[in-house]
Amino acid sequence: MNIQTRKTKKNTMNSQAQPYQPLTSENAAVVLVDHQVGLMTGVRDYSTGELKHNVVALAKAAKALKLPIVVTTTARDSMWGPTFPELVEALPDIKIIDRSTVNAWDDPRVAAAIEATGRKKLIIAGISLEVCAAFPAITAIGKGYEAYVAVDASGTFSDTKREAGLLRMQQAGVIVSDYATLMVEILKDNARPEAAAVYNALDMPWATLVGQISKAYGKQSAAA
């Protein structure tokens, strides 16, 4: 067994030994990195429509759960263009921080905005997955935060980049998941008053069908 293999095995064992501490509305924040029109044109692991849907759903659900949200772009006016309009519309009250650094955390304004949330569990999504999401997530781990990356609210330019990015993040201790699971974990209880808004934000077709079935049975019961 070589040194790298031993290190990877040790990191995996350490992460498995840590007790489960769920995401909550009180300990989590969302960081959205570089969901820009120019970058989206190169994404190959998700269609543009699906990726837009997932990012907006994450943003709306986070808003319904009252999570702090930090949004940033890079080289907005020179290279990669603006944040895609649907996300801007979903978060009208949030100022988007434009920067030049590759790693979002290297910009003092972004770092300060994240730190100002007071949250130690960060849900991160970005384009591209292996850079814009991975770099700040790995940096967060090094600074004592817990980092979760919503893979399906990110996106990248090839299968190789996707696989390499996922592997690198997992080796660093980043937790990878999908956006809906992370939001439902925070919701925790379907009796919460925010539940309807969260599920509406997630806009999951199967959940809509379940609601339609429930509504239909309700009408039948009332008729009986």
Side-chain angles (χ1 to χ4, degrees), residues 152-176:
D152 55 349
S154 304
T156 192
F157 315 130
S158 71
D159 289 340
T160 299
K161 287 182 174 294
R162 179 182 177 86
E163 292 169 10
L166 290 172
L167 180 60
R168 185 174 183 185
M169 287 190 288
Q170 289 172 320
Q171 288 172 334
V174 176
I175 298 170
V176 296

Side-chain angles (χ1 to χ4, degrees), residues 3-223:
I3 294 174
Q4 184 58 49
T5 302
R6 287 199 298 269
K7 286 182 178 179
T8 302
K9 186 175 181 181
K10 182 178 180 181
N11 288 341
T12 301
M13 291 175 63
N14 286 343
S15 63
Q16 290 174 343
Q18 294 176 356
Y20 171 56
Q21 296 180 337
L23 292 159
T24 70
S25 295
E26 290 72 39
N27 66 20
V30 171
V31 183
L32 302 177
V33 185
D34 302 351
H35 291 95
Q36 296 167 253
V37 174
L39 288 167
M40 290 192 73
T41 62
V43 171
R44 294 294 178 266
D45 52 347
Y46 293 98
S47 69
T48 300
E50 183 180 7
L51 183 56
K52 280 186 173 184
H53 170 276
N54 295 350
V55 177
V56 170
L58 171 60
K60 287 182 175 179
K63 190 174 179 181
L65 290 164
K66 300 179 176 60
L67 303 181
I69 304 172
V70 177
V71 185
T72 180
T73 56
T74 184
R76 178 178 58 208
D77 299 323
S78 59
M79 292 179 68
W80 302 124
T83 302
F84 69 83
E86 293 89 341
L87 181 57
V88 175
E89 184 179 347
L91 301 173
D93 301 323
I94 292 181
K95 181 179 179 181
I96 299 173
I97 304 170
D98 189 54
R99 64 184 205 286
S100 62
T101 60
V102 173
N103 183 346
W105 208 298
D106 288 342
D107 186 290
R109 297 166 300 162
V110 176
I114 293 172
E115 291 165 4
T117 68
R119 310 299 176 85
K120 298 301 289 185
K121 293 178 181 282
L122 303 179
I123 297 168
I124 301 171
I127 305 174
S128 63
L129 173 71
E130 78 287 352
V131 174
C132 302
F135 287 3
I138 293 170
T139 302
I141 295 292
K143 292 182 176 292
Y145 291 80
E146 293 180 39
Y148 300 71
V149 167
V151 175
D152 55 349
S154 304
T156 192
F157 315 130
S158 71
D159 289 340
T160 299
K161 287 182 174 294
R162 179 182 177 86
E163 292 169 10
L166 290 172
L167 180 60
R168 185 174 183 185
M169 287 190 288
Q170 289 172 320
Q171 288 172 334
V174 176
I175 298 170
V176 296
S177 186
D178 64 278
Y179 75 93
T181 295
L182 295 169
M183 294 297 100
V184 172
E185 180 178 349
I186 293 172
L187 177 63
K188 189 175 182 178
D189 188 340
N190 289 318
R192 282 180 61 172
E194 301 94 338
V198 170
Y199 285 115
N200 285 336
L202 295 180
D203 187 29
M204 297 179 290
W206 59 266
T208 301
L209 287 172
V210 170
Q212 290 169 347
I213 293 169
S214 177
K215 187 175 181 181
Y217 275 120
K219 287 182 178 178
Q220 290 178 3
S221 299

